[in-house]
Amino acid sequence: QDEVLHFATNCPNCNAPAQTNMKVTNIPFFKEVVIMATVCDACGEKTNEVKSGGGIEAKGKKITLKITDKSDLNRDVLKSETCDMSIPELEFEMGGAALGGRFTTLEGLLNNMLEEIEQNSLWGAGDAAAPDIEQRMDKFKERMKLCAEGELEFTLILDDPAGNSYLQNLYAPDEDPEMKVEEYERTFEQNEDLGLNDMKTENYQEDS
């Protein structure tokens, strides 16, 4: 399990030959995950991606954490590529595909969100006609930075239909008073997005 595997790949940014390192890690009170990191010597691009080692869970999972202290930002978080994130106080939502799979701290995840917003011109583009769009975006980013620095109390919601996301419980194995974890039955549409309906065709046979 401590072994790091190396294999040749191509940089996702410039397509130059690069090396990817892969390691299986066991997250306490959760499961095994596969961490893959690539560094390109040609252009300096760095990527890291996390995949769950156990496939899709039987139920979806929704994790709600109330961040009340700076120390909360040190919690480990595993966000799978199917996990949506939202911060109700900022009226902010980000789909799972935007950041892919990440294993980092809560502070790191918030900074990843900020980087994505800074780099992607699509954020706010829907209101491009509004004259105050830039001001609103600047105000939003300022509040987001305060959240990442632990200066604002806020709520983070991770909603993963595949059930493969994790947020560290500082009180484990006891319950965390600031965190709520709910499991739920996926909708037909969510199963469709995960490619599960094709695997259940025997249950949907039409009458002849």
Side-chain angles (χ1 to χ4, degrees):
Q1 202 181 57
D2 292 327
E3 186 183 2
V4 179
L5 301 175
H6 312 281
F7 55 93
T9 53
N10 290 87
C11 171
N13 185 50
C14 72
N15 209 35
Q19 177 176 281
T20 294
N21 300 329
M22 186 174 84
K23 186 177 189 296
V24 176
T25 300
N26 185 51
I27 299 178
F29 303 103
F30 189 50
K31 62 166 77 173
E32 281 191 344
V33 297
V34 179
I35 299 175
M36 291 179 286
T38 306
V39 179
C40 178
D41 293 332
C43 73
E45 176 81 359
K46 293 181 182 178
T47 65
N48 73 72
E49 196 173 357
V50 182
K51 300 272 187 193
S52 168
I56 295 169
E57 294 295 314
K59 291 184 177 181
K61 186 192 287 182
K62 182 179 179 181
I63 305 170
T64 305
L65 176 70
K66 183 74 181 171
I67 289 87
T68 57
D69 189 85
K70 261 187 181 178
S71 62
D72 284 321
L73 298 174
N74 296 325
R75 292 176 188 244
D76 289 333
V77 57
L78 170 66
K79 187 206 84 65
S80 83
E81 64 272 21
T82 55
C83 179
D84 296 338
M85 300 166 291
S86 59
I87 300 174
E89 291 86 349
L90 300 185
E91 298 180 13
F92 171 78
E93 293 181 13
M94 182 179 274
L99 290 177
R102 297 289 174 111
F103 183 47
T104 179
T105 61
L106 198 46
E107 181 183 10
L109 185 64
L110 290 166
N111 284 323
N112 290 155
M113 291 182 197
L114 265 170
E115 286 165 16
E116 177 66 20
I117 292 164
E118 296 274 8
Q119 292 169 9
N120 195 330
S121 60
L122 290 175
W123 286 94
D127 296 327
D132 62 342
I133 183 67
E134 247 183 271
Q135 288 175 308
R136 282 173 28 213
M137 281 304 294
D138 287 344
K139 190 175 179 183
F140 165 78
K141 285 187 280 192
E142 191 55 45
R143 291 186 70 201
M144 186 77 146
K145 281 175 188 165
L146 289 173
C147 289
E149 291 164 3
E151 300 297 332
L152 277 184
E153 290 192 5
F154 64 98
T155 308
L156 176 71
I157 300 172
L158 301 177
D159 191 343
D160 188 354
N164 283 330
S165 293
Y166 158 88
L167 191 49
Q168 185 182 15
N169 173 357
L170 299 178
Y171 301 83
D174 297 324
E175 283 192 13
D176 188 324
E178 302 296 344
M179 187 161 72
K180 182 177 168 189
V181 180
E182 306 163 82
E183 290 189 339
Y184 60 86
E185 297 290 344
R186 285 184 288 268
T187 63
F188 181 88
E189 287 77 15
Q190 286 172 324
N191 279 329
E192 187 75 18
D193 290 341
L194 295 171
L196 296 177
N197 291 338
D198 297 337
M199 298 158 68
K200 297 179 181 176
T201 49
E202 68 274 10
N203 298 328
Y204 300 106
Q205 290 177 351
E206 294 180 11
D207 294 332
S208 52

